[in-house]
């Protein structure tokens, strides 16, 4: 099983192909199988790599370190140890926050481009920010459900994620991936990620950026994702008409085309 020791945690990853390295970063409490179509198809032309955060997927279930800044530090250690340079980061949902946090901590040296998929500048509904999708009441309810009925939360997340009910195969994949994060990990990272705010970071993203949204997004509005594109200088925006929150699985061919075109033009 391929893994790297990063800041005291054993992190699982998968890697295929050769060429420009594209590093895929999953969403909160998910894993790299959400990028199965990308790892397979884009590896014909690029070096595709996907990384499970600590506590997620097949990585070590550490007791501590479940914050977006620590995940970004783990990413830095992973890139250094794999000697990866001029990478394109593809962050889906919370993965976009991890990419923005990485840029905030370490800058963009070694980052060739960025793809941010279905994420707002902050998940939280601050008084001066209309695009957040959670508040303290909703967050409290979510954290309580994590501790009282962990698998019911997983099932609910599946129902809210897709535009159309997924196939049995995809549903099994998603349920298996999301259920791999134990409740203590879920509680820690769900709270931490929910209150992060990158509005002041986005204007400093100085690498080519593609911002993607699903037209039938249920987690956040298309306007919330467009707001990200507006805040990042010279960012491109692409809408996936037949997707909810997971265009990587809902429209894999279209998503792969968009990423391949973006990377090839860098």
């Amino acid at each position: 099983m391929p893994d790297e020791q990063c800041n005291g945690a054993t992190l699982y990853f998968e890697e295929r192909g050769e060429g420009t390295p594209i590093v895929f970063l999953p969403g909160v409490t998910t894993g790299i199988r959400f990028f199965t179509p990308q790892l397979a198809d884009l590896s014909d032309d690029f070096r595709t790599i996907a990384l499970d955060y600590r506590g997620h997927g097949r990585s070590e279930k550490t007791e501590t370190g479940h914050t977006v800044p620590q995940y970004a530090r783990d990413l830095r250690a992973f890139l250094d140890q794999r000697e990866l340079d001029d990478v394109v980061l593809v962050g889906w949902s919370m993965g976009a926050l991890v990419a923005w946090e990485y840029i905030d901590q370490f800058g963009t040296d070694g980052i060739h481009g960025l793809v941010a998929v279905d994420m707002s500048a902050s998940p939280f509904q601050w008084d001066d920010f209309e695009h957040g999708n959670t508040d303290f009441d909703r967050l409290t309810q979510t954290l309580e459900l994590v501790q009282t009925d962990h698998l019911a939360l997983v099932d609910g997340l599946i129902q809210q994620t897709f535009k159309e009910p997924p196939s049995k195969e995809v549903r099994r994949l998603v349920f298996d991936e999301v259920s791999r994060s134990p409740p203590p990990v879920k509680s820690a990272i769900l709270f931490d990620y929910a209150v992060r705010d990158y509005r002041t970071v986005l204007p400093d993203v100085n690498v080519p950026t593609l911002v993607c949204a699903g037209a039938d997004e249920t987690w956040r509005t298309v306007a919330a994702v467009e707001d990200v594109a507006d805040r990042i200088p010279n960012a491109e925006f692409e809408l996936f008409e037949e997707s909810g929150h997971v265009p990587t699985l809902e429209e894999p061919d279209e998503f792969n085309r968009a990423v391949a075109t973006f990377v090839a033009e860098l």
Side-chain angles (χ1 to χ4, degrees):
M1 187 172 81
D3 57 54
E4 287 284 356
Q5 285 289 325
C6 299
N7 300 315
T10 303
L11 303 187
Y12 176 81
F13 70 96
E14 292 184 7
E15 180 176 357
R16 304 182 190 180
E18 298 179 353
T20 301
I22 305 176
V23 179
F24 294 92
L25 305 172
V28 64
T29 78
T30 72
I32 65 176
R33 289 171 70 197
F34 277 72
F35 300 119
T36 296
Q38 289 68 53
L39 287 169
D41 296 342
L42 290 173
S43 61
D44 290 342
D45 299 301
F46 307 102
R47 183 180 178 186
T48 57
I49 305 154
L51 177 69
D52 277 335
Y53 311 119
R54 60 173 67 206
H56 291 63
R58 291 154 185 79
S59 288
E60 181 183 356
K61 305 305 184 284
T62 61
E63 293 185 359
T64 60
H66 300 292
T67 69
V68 173
Q70 183 58 57
Y71 291 177
R73 289 189 286 272
D74 291 345
L75 173 60
R76 176 59 180 263
F78 177 78
L79 296 180
D80 286 347
Q81 290 170 205
R82 301 298 299 173
E83 298 183 343
L84 292 166
D85 196 18
D86 289 335
V87 303
V88 177
L89 297 179
V90 180
W92 165 62
S93 196
M94 186 189 73
L97 300 189
V98 174
W100 299 335
E101 177 66 35
Y102 181 98
I103 290 172
D104 191 37
Q105 290 190 45
F106 306 110
T108 54
D109 287 348
I111 305 300
H112 197 42
L114 172 65
V115 181
V117 186
D118 243 63
M119 191 62 223
S120 52
S122 174
F124 199 77
Q125 282 184 354
W126 306 103
D127 290 341
D128 60 345
F129 183 63
E130 63 179 324
H131 296 302
N133 71 324
T134 194
D135 55 23
F136 275 117
D137 286 342
R138 182 173 177 180
L139 181 55
T140 300
Q141 292 170 7
T142 299
L143 296 177
E144 181 177 358
L145 189 57
V146 170
Q147 295 298 320
T148 57
D149 200 342
H150 162 64
L151 295 182
L153 174 69
V154 174
D155 193 59
L157 292 175
I158 294 173
Q159 294 180 36
Q160 298 174 47
T161 295
F162 294 86
K163 176 183 177 181
E164 302 291 343
S167 67
K168 289 183 179 180
E169 179 183 7
V170 171
R171 183 181 177 83
R172 282 195 298 268
L173 179 154
V174 172
F175 192 91
D176 180 63
E177 287 293 271
V178 178
S179 61
R180 285 177 179 269
S181 295
V185 171
K186 277 187 169 66
S187 294
I189 192 57
L190 280 168
F191 179 84
D192 184 83
Y193 124 96
V195 297
R196 293 289 166 182
D197 186 352
Y198 290 91
R199 284 178 288 172
T200 62
V201 174
L202 297 182
D204 295 329
V205 176
N206 60 355
V207 295
T209 300
L210 174 65
V211 178
C212 303
D216 282 270
E217 167 62 56
T218 55
W219 283 99
R220 51 192 54 87
T221 64
V222 172
V225 186
E226 289 179 321
D227 174 70
V228 169
D230 290 340
R231 292 175 185 272
I232 298 176
N234 302 313
E236 303 174 35
F237 177 79
E238 181 142 358
L239 187 66
F240 292 87
E241 295 288 351
E242 301 302 321
S243 291
H245 187 51
V246 199
T248 59
L249 291 176
E250 294 175 277
E251 293 183 83
D253 292 342
E254 292 77 7
F255 184 80
N256 290 351
R257 172 199 53 76
V259 171
T261 300
F262 173 72
V263 176
E265 293 177 351
L266 292 175

